[in-house]
């Protein structure tokens, strides 16, 4: 098992290295003048030349990549051309917002996915309508779903806010988690209100994926011999479901949930943009038009790392659950 | 299963059905009117916090020697002040006092003497004297930001009299007062603050989250991507507004910004809403619209390095095929008027810089007939500018009617600025939805748009005589020479001043003093001049 974990870790590191090289190549071949975009349209040629020299943009490709890699290994992602701050500082400001959004969305996806699966397998009343609505939501483009949610819950009903995070940045940007931990319940309630709408929009597509896997797994387990035996022995239905069905059906759904968590980090850009959510998606979408390479590379590497690590964790969990998968 | 759990799917289903049903409507006026009606438009009792909605983050730190973009000026211009500014509530360029009460310029445009305003203090309590002028100019040169050119020509600042600053330039420059009046011009900073927070980067780290200015407001909270907050400076020398706090929340999506304005959660939006929203707010109850003069224009730039526009007649034919009147009115509406001069409106007294291109689609039809069948060309626009996109599409459609395979294509900002290094890689023409000079001197316009070293001459279309005349005119301020330079550049067929653009300010009706708080150089308001009425 330890060898399997070591191999998985090494391959994850290798993947990140390849990712960094691909990002760097894309930046090198992309047309544009990030310095002019960063300094301003009317900046003098002297100022532009000085900035290019300072940023090493006139150095040969491999020299620049080596500097980039060397700094990366020291945890230095460079300075954003747009914000003029270290990218690590920017990510420290923006990543907590994204993490809180994705975590709440993930919990919602688990809840909705479970309801999707259980309502289908156990044929609950209203379940068909619920599943149909979820499927329609998942089929709609995220920006349209987000705008629709804003119109309904903010503009028409006035139940939920449509932008911002609902509290002062505190505890390193962890508005929701920070206020919960410090028992500032007013701030926590406001933060929860603010995160609910974007999280709901972000959660619907993953909920379908998790729900479908869970439903297939539940159907298989419900038809299994040991469940029939448990019912025949007169065990009450909730007990049968809890002890014999749900536990034995969770494996594939957990794997899918892990993968979906990675997808949610990558797919957060559109949702953050529409809800003015100050996360790394918004940071990335502001950095792309001005070719702010350090920022783009920083966000991409973080998202890549999250995805790769989550994949590795899922693999390891699966291996722990079923050692035959490592063979 | 417990009853609440049984109800959960049905409740979620109902909510999602309603969401899906409303998802296709966009932001209809009906929706906005309904939400606005609930907020009303009466002046809120005891309102002391002003909420100014920003469309997107300010992008760069609000450091006056670094910031060189748009919406962050709301912070810079309320936390800092220059020696002079453009006169508020005027539609022509007029230099007005700010931290200097008066000034004299010698005949050679080399020595500028400023009498400084007494009783001014910076936010750290340091009194404003001529030492601050020197320290502020020095800092701008040291930081080497985009607008460092404005002080690069300063040879010395005589500070022997604390209330008089004598600035001597390396060479004559009649545009220097405009440099100082520009929203991007050098702002006065506390010399004590500059020394105290210098660090290794000339205060740049400190000024990302603080300010050392003398303006009516001080920067008290910085949450990048979320919100910036300003608090009224009690020791401000000038007029104070009833707003002791100004919040500037950031909206990444224009629809969300409009909804917040409709619900009264945002008090004003300055030059940030798309033209498509003009109709919605035109007669909206509780909302006031202001169309305020600026130095900005929509422009058409033609690429002479591409074979399609290799000749002057071809370029002229293209410019003539643009129905300026119709295009401006159709796309930009009330926020613009068709440009009739080569420089910004009123930059040249009396309009001597008249633009002579007139609408004549027959010229392009004739040119199209000389081209091989299926000849293609492209019209570029900045991908984040909806107005420019619409104009490019309309012009492309006109060319298609002439038998040319014309397409409109969006480009990110950094790519647009990269064309000048390799112009053939750019499109055949480019429509700029909104652009302008740093200040009101004709030199500042001509240099950036017509000189390939200026910054916004995208395709490097250059006429050496134009450059030469501009460089001579800036030394003396000779208007006739500026006009001559403009006419020579217009003859290249590379350029069309399409429209004079205005700042469209949308505000709750109770907000007063909007026009008086605005000037032609800035796309922002002086919050100290606003009120509740």
């Amino acid at each position: 098992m330890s060898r399997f974990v070591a191999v998985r870790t090494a391959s994850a590191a290798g993947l990140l290295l390849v990712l960094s090289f691909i990002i760097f190549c894309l930046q090198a071949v992309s047309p544009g003048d990030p310095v002019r975009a960063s300094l301003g349209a009317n900046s003098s040629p002297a100022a532009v030349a000085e900035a290019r020299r300072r940023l090493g943009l006139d150095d040969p490709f491999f020299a620049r990549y080596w500097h980039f890699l060397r700094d990366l290994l020291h945890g230095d992602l460079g300075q954003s051309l747009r914000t003029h701050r270290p990218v690590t500082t920017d990510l420290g400001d923006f990543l907590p917002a994204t993490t809180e959004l994705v975590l709440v969305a993930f919990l919602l996806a688990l809840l909705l996915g479970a309801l999707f699966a259980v309502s289908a397998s156990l044929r609950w009343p209203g379940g068909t309508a619920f599943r149909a609505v979820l499927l329609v939501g998942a089929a709609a483009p995220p920006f349209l779903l987000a705008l629709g949610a804003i119109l309904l819950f903010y503009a028409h009903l006035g139940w939920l806010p449509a932008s911002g995070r609902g509290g002062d940045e505190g505890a390193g940007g962890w508005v929701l988690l920070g206020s919960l931990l410090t028992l500032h319940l007013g701030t926590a309630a406001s933060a929860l209100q603010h995160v609910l709408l974007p999280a709901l929009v972000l959660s619907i597509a993953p909920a379908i994926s998790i729900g479908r896997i869970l439903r297939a797994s539940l159907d298989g387990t419900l038809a299994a011999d040991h469940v029939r035996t448990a019912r025949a022995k007169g065990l009450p239905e909730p007990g049968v479901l809890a002890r014999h069905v749900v536990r034995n059906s969770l494996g594939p759904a957990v794997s899918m949930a892990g993968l979906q968590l990675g997808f949610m980090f990558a797919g957060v850009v559109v949702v953050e943009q529409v809800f003015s959510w100050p996360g790394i998606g918004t940071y990335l979408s502001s950095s792309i038009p001005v070719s702010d390479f350090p920022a783009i590379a920083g966000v991409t590497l973080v998202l890549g790392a999250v995805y790769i690590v989550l994949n590795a964790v899922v693999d390891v969990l699966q291996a722990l659950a079923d050692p035959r998968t490592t063979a | 299963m417990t009853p609440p759990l049984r109800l959960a799917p049905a409740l979620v289903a109902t909510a999602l059905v309603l969401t899906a049903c409303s998802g296709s409507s966009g932001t209809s006026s009906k929706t906005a009117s309904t939400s606005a009606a609930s907020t009303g438009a009466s002046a809120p009792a005891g309102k002391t916090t002003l909420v100014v909605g920003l469309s997107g983050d300010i992008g760069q730190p609000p450091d006056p020697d670094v910031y060189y973009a748009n919406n962050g000026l709301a912070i810079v211009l309320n936390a800092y002040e220059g020696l002079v500014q453009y006169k508020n509530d005027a539609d022509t360029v007029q230099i007005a006092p700010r931290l200097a009460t008066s000034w004299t310029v010698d005949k050679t445009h080399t020595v500028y003497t400023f009498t400084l305003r007494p009783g001014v203090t910076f936010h750290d309590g340091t009194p404003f004297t001529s030492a601050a002028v020197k320290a502020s100019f020095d800092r701008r040169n040291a930081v080497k930001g985009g607008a460092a050119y404005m002080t690069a020509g300063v040879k010395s600042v005589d500070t022997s009299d604390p209330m008089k600053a004598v600035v001597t330039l390396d060479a004559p420059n009649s545009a220097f007062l405009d440099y100082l009046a520009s929203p991007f011009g050098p702002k006065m900073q506390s010399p004590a603050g500059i020394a105290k927070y210098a660090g290794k980067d000339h205060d740049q780290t400190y000024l990302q989250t603080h300010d050392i200015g003398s303006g009516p407001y001080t920067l008290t909270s910085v949450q990048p991507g979320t919100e910036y907050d300003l608090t009224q400076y009690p020791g401000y020398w000038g007029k104070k507004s009833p707003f002791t706090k100004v919040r500037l929340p950031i909206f990444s999506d224009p629809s969300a910004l409009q909804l917040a304005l409709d619900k009264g959660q945002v008090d004003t939006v300055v030059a940030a809403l798309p033209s498509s929203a003009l109709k919605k707010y035109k007669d909206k109850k509780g909302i006031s619209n202001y169309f305020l003069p600026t130095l900005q224009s929509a422009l058409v730039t033609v690429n002479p390095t591409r074979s399609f526009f290799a000749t002057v007649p071809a370029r002229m034919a293209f410019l003539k095929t643009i129905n300026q009147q119709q295009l401006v009115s159709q796309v930009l509406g009330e926020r613009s008027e068709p440009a009739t001069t080569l420089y910004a409106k009123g930059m040249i007294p009396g309009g001597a810089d008249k633009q002579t291109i007139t609408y004549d689609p027959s010229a392009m039809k004739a040119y199209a007939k000389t081209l091989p069948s299926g000849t293609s060309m492209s019209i570029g626009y900045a991908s984040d500018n909806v107005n420019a996109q619409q104009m490019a599409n309309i012009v492309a459609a006109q060319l298609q009617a002439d038998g040319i395979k014309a397409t409109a294509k969006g480009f990110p900002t950094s790519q647009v600025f990269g064309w000048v290094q390799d112009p053939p890689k750019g499109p055949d023409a480019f429509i700029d939805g909104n652009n302008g000079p740093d200040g009101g001197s004709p030199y500042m316009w001509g240099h950036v748009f017509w000189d390939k070293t200026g910054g916004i001459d995208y395709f490097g279309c250059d006429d050496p005589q134009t450059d030469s005349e501009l460089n001579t005119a800036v030394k003396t301020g000779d208007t006739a020479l500026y006009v001559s330079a403009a006419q020579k550049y217009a003859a290249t067929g590379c350029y069309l001043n399409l429209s004079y653009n205005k700042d469209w300010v949308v505000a709750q009706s109770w907000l007063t003093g909007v026009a008086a708080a605005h000037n032609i150089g800035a796309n922002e308001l002086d919050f100290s001049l606003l009120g509740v009425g």
Side-chain angles (χ1 to χ4, degrees):
Chain A
M1 178 55 70
S2 57
R3 184 174 173 275
F4 173 76
V5 173
V7 168
R8 205 64 193 75
T9 307
S11 67
L15 267 175
L16 275 175
L17 188 68
V18 170
L19 180 65
S20 77
F21 186 72
I22 290 170
I23 296 166
F24 202 85
C25 287
L26 287 173
Q27 173 263 331
V29 300
S30 68
D33 187 353
V35 171
R36 175 74 69 179
S38 149
L39 279 182
N42 304 1
S43 51
S44 66
V48 172
E50 163 65 20
R52 290 189 68 83
R53 188 200 56 76
R54 195 177 64 244
L55 295 164
L57 292 176
D58 296 326
D59 295 346
F61 172 83
F62 283 108
R64 279 191 293 139
Y65 180 63
W66 168 244
H67 293 152
F68 169 71
L69 206 58
R70 185 194 59 197
D71 292 343
L72 192 63
L73 293 171
H74 287 95
D76 179 4
L77 289 164
Q79 193 186 62
S80 162
L81 300 177
R82 191 172 57 88
T83 67
H84 296 245
R85 302 192 313 166
V87 172
T88 46
T89 305
D90 282 344
L91 291 176
D93 278 342
F94 291 102
L95 197 55
T98 299
T99 308
E100 284 190 349
L101 170 61
V102 169
L103 286 179
V104 174
F106 183 63
L107 291 175
L108 278 174
L110 292 179
L111 175 69
L112 293 172
L115 287 172
F116 181 95
V118 175
S119 68
S121 291
L122 303 184
R123 292 177 170 71
W124 285 352
T128 307
F130 167 68
R131 290 193 304 279
V133 171
L134 268 191
L135 286 166
V136 168
F143 77 91
L144 196 64
L145 191 66
L147 284 174
I150 286 173
L151 279 172
L152 175 66
F153 293 106
Y154 172 68
H156 285 295
L157 301 171
W159 291 353
L160 293 169
S163 63
R165 296 184 66 192
D168 286 342
E169 295 276 358
W174 301 95
V175 177
L176 177 59
L177 295 175
S179 55
L180 282 172
L181 288 172
T182 53
L183 296 177
H184 287 107
L185 299 183
T187 306
S190 172
L192 197 58
Q193 264 194 317
H194 280 77
V195 77
L196 208 53
L197 213 48
L200 179 67
V201 170
L202 189 62
S203 69
I204 289 179
I208 296 287
S209 303
I210 294 166
R212 278 178 169 161
I213 292 280
L214 184 59
R215 181 196 173 171
S217 190
L218 279 172
D219 287 349
T221 313
L222 281 166
D225 291 344
H226 69 277
V227 173
R228 203 177 317 127
T229 305
R231 282 174 172 157
K233 283 165 70 179
L235 274 177
E237 190 64 10
V240 172
L241 291 174
R243 286 176 56 192
H244 297 288
V245 179
V246 175
R247 274 179 61 187
N248 290 320
S249 305
L250 280 180
V254 167
S255 298
M256 175 54 74
L259 292 176
Q260 289 301 323
L261 185 59
F263 285 136
M264 283 160 95
F265 267 100
V268 84
V269 177
V270 172
V271 173
E272 284 192 358
Q273 188 73 15
V274 177
F275 287 97
S276 305
W277 190 261
I280 55 173
T282 301
Y283 179 63
L284 180 66
S285 56
S286 303
S287 303
I288 288 171
V290 292
S291 297
D292 185 357
F293 169 69
I296 296 166
V299 173
T300 312
L301 283 170
V302 165
L303 291 177
V306 166
Y307 191 73
I308 289 165
V309 167
L310 283 172
N311 262 296
V313 168
V314 167
D315 285 355
V316 171
L317 287 176
Q318 278 186 319
L320 286 170
D322 184 358
R324 288 173 302 176
T325 56
T326 62
Chain B
M1 183 186 172
T2 57
L5 199 58
R6 275 188 177 278
L7 284 172
L11 285 173
V12 176
T14 308
L16 290 175
V17 162
L18 290 168
T19 302
C21 289
S22 63
S24 59
S25 60
T27 49
S28 69
S29 344
K30 187 173 179 292
T31 303
S33 300
T34 307
S35 60
S38 64
T39 62
S42 56
K47 183 165 174 82
T48 56
T49 299
L50 178 73
V51 184
V52 181
L54 296 182
S55 179
D57 193 22
I58 66 170
Q60 300 166 351
D63 175 338
D65 294 322
V66 171
Y67 197 79
Y68 208 19
N70 296 316
N71 57 357
L73 283 174
I75 298 164
V76 173
L77 298 178
N78 280 283
Y80 297 89
E81 298 169 289
L83 291 173
V84 293
Q85 64 165 71
Y86 289 116
K87 189 181 176 202
N88 282 5
D89 203 8
D91 64 356
T92 53
V93 174
Q94 299 170 57
I95 307 284
R98 188 77 186 229
L99 289 184
T101 53
S102 62
W103 53 90
T104 58
V105 184
D106 77 332
K107 283 182 183 174
T108 66
H109 294 281
T110 309
V111 182
Y112 290 74
T113 305
F114 298 93
T115 301
L116 306 183
R117 187 177 297 279
V120 176
T121 56
F122 290 101
H123 299 158
D124 63 358
T126 306
F128 170 61
T129 64
S130 56
V133 180
K134 183 176 180 354
S136 301
F137 285 6
D138 287 347
R139 179 175 185 261
R140 176 158 289 219
N141 288 331
V143 168
K144 294 178 182 165
Y149 74 89
M150 295 180 178
T151 50
V154 174
K155 187 177 175 183
S156 67
V157 180
D158 181 348
T159 59
S160 51
D161 180 343
M163 295 319 287
K164 197 173 286 260
V166 183
V167 180
T168 304
L169 306 181
D170 285 328
N173 188 342
S174 67
F176 187 65
L177 277 180
D178 285 284
Y179 289 177
L180 300 185
S182 161
F184 304 109
K187 301 290 177 276
M188 296 301 106
Q189 294 156 67
S190 160
I194 289 175
K196 186 176 178 182
Y197 304 112
K200 291 178 182 175
D201 61 358
H202 306 287
D203 313 89
Q204 286 186 73
T205 301
Y206 182 77
L207 294 188
Q208 287 173 357
T209 48
H210 304 80
D211 79 87
I212 46 174
S214 64
Y217 289 87
T218 183
L219 181 63
T220 44
S221 170
V222 171
Q223 299 171 51
T226 307
E227 183 169 313
Y228 296 81
D229 293 344
L230 299 168
T231 302
Q232 198 168 64
Y233 173 49
Y236 184 56
W237 60 268
K239 189 184 172 194
K240 292 194 185 85
S241 82
F243 303 114
T244 53
K245 190 170 182 182
V246 180
R247 289 181 49 230
L248 299 119
I250 289 153
F251 295 83
S252 345
D253 185 78
S255 308
L257 177 54
Q258 287 178 56
L259 283 170
L261 180 72
D262 296 343
K263 290 180 81 73
Q265 290 168 351
V266 162
D267 300 329
T268 184
V269 180
V270 182
L273 293 182
S275 293
S276 54
L278 275 165
K279 197 175 170 186
K280 172 184 168 182
Y281 289 106
K282 195 170 187 289
D283 302 310
K284 193 166 169 58
K285 186 185 166 192
I287 291 286
S288 296
N289 294 277
Y290 301 87
F291 298 96
L292 305 169
T294 71
L295 294 168
Q296 312 277 308
S297 275
L299 302 152
V300 180
T301 312
V302 182
N303 189 345
T305 67
R306 304 270 297 177
S307 59
F308 192 90
F309 286 132
T311 65
V312 172
R315 298 198 285 271
M316 286 296 189
F318 171 69
L319 296 179
K320 284 178 179 176
T321 203
I322 295 170
N323 189 337
Q324 204 181 335
Q325 197 80 30
Q326 190 185 53
L327 194 63
V328 171
S329 126
Q330 185 179 338
V331 177
L332 301 171
E334 246 185 301
R335 26 183 345 172
S336 302
E337 57 182 299
T340 56
T341 58
L342 294 163
Y343 290 100
K345 187 183 184 182
M347 215 173 229
I348 299 289
D353 55 329
K354 189 170 166 46
Q355 188 163 249
T356 55
I357 290 173
T358 50
Y359 176 57
D360 176 15
S362 64
M364 195 67 200
K365 285 188 201 300
Y367 176 56
K369 283 176 185 167
T370 68
L371 298 168
S373 176
T375 297
S376 62
M377 65 87 70
S378 59
I379 301 167
Y381 58 88
S383 43
D384 58 353
N385 192 309
V386 181
N387 293 336
Q389 179 179 6
Q390 210 179 332
M391 289 191 280
N393 281 323
I394 291 168
V395 174
Q398 285 172 339
L399 294 176
Q400 284 164 7
D402 292 336
I404 295 161
K405 278 178 69 179
T407 52
K409 190 182 174 190
F411 295 91
T413 314
S414 66
Q415 198 169 340
V416 172
F417 289 133
W419 290 331
V420 75
Q421 292 163 19
D422 194 1
K425 284 194 173 168
D428 296 285
F430 183 74
I431 295 185
D432 218 336
N434 192 59
N435 217 327
D438 288 348
S441 158
Y443 175 78
M444 294 167 92
W445 181 283
H447 178 67
V448 296
F449 290 127
W450 305 333
D451 186 328
K452 66 180 175 189
T453 66
I456 321 184
D457 181 4
Y458 299 119
F459 304 122
C461 179
D462 201 50
D463 172 55
Q465 262 196 298
T466 299
D467 300 345
S468 166
E469 288 184 353
L470 285 171
N471 292 332
T472 305
V474 73
K475 291 174 184 167
T476 59
D478 183 344
T479 301
L481 207 48
Y482 279 129
V483 172
S484 168
Q487 288 166 342
K488 284 189 173 64
Y489 194 78
T492 63
C494 288
Y495 162 91
L496 176 74
N497 191 0
L498 196 57
S499 70
Y500 305 131
N501 292 352
K502 296 170 188 169
D503 272 347
W504 174 33
V505 180
V506 191
Q508 304 294 345
S509 291
W510 50 258
L511 189 69
T512 58
V514 171
H518 178 272
N519 75 58
I520 200 164
N523 299 329
E524 291 303 337
L525 303 176
D526 181 340
F527 302 142
S528 69
L529 301 176
L530 297 172
V532 178

